[in-house]
Amino acid sequence: ARLAAELAAPGFSPSKQGTVETDRPYCRAGDQTLAMNLYYPPSGGPWPALVFIHGGGWTEGSKAEMDGTFAALGYLVVSIDYRLYPDHRFPAMIEDVKCAIRHLRANAAQYNLDPDRIGLFGNSAGGHLAALAGLAGRSAGWDVGENLEQSSQVQAVIVLAAPADLTRPFP
């Protein structure tokens, strides 16, 4: 019930400008609640959103790896956690990224974000997931879970040091 209430809270409170909101639920995957941290710009809006996807070889890492540096430049920075291997296997990770994007769109007014300006930023394994999310449409089958009436397409992708050819061995 708490998750449903938090996911459905209407409207943006201007008191959030310039603040950080941690551990905000964005989706449920089985019995797991997935969370994000939000770094709000100090003024203005609706803002473009920059969704950060952490690296860590799909086995480790956390949303805590991003800070709010880009919020000062006028971006709503959203850093997400996603399900990790070996407890979860592919495509769980990309399904979580796409669920986060749909959640943001469905709740754009609540976060004071522009749903037509959502970008992804990922490093290493997070860069791989950002590239997949940026290129894969609904026909890929990775749009599952909540807010399916919303698009998971993004307008920009920034990829840093990401594996692109998973048929090749790498450390």
Side-chain angles (χ1 to χ4, degrees), residues 134-154:
L135 294 170
R138 194 172 290 271
S139 64
W142 298 328
D143 279 287
V144 299
E146 301 162 31
N147 299 304
L148 291 174
E149 72 283 0
Q150 300 293 328
S151 171
S152 64
Q153 291 299 117
V154 295

Side-chain angles (χ1 to χ4, degrees), residues 30-107:
D31 62 349
Q32 187 173 354
T33 300
L34 300 170
M36 61 186 175
N37 293 344
L38 296 112
Y39 300 84
Y40 293 98
S43 63
W47 306 295
L50 183 59
V51 179
F52 176 71
I53 309 166
H54 67 80
W58 306 277
T59 64
E60 61 186 18
S62 125
K63 64 187 179 311
E65 293 177 23
M66 175 51 89
D67 63 22
T69 302
F70 293 104
L73 300 175
Y75 293 92
L76 173 65
V77 178
V78 181
S79 186
I80 65 169
D81 273 339
Y82 56 87
R83 292 174 287 171
L84 300 172
Y85 181 85
D87 292 336
H88 303 279
R89 299 184 82 70
F90 185 85
M93 301 82 179
I94 188 63
E95 291 171 352
D96 298 346
V97 171
K98 288 183 156 283
C99 192
I101 297 162
R102 293 191 315 272
H103 170 81
L104 292 170
R105 277 215 170 83
N107 297 281

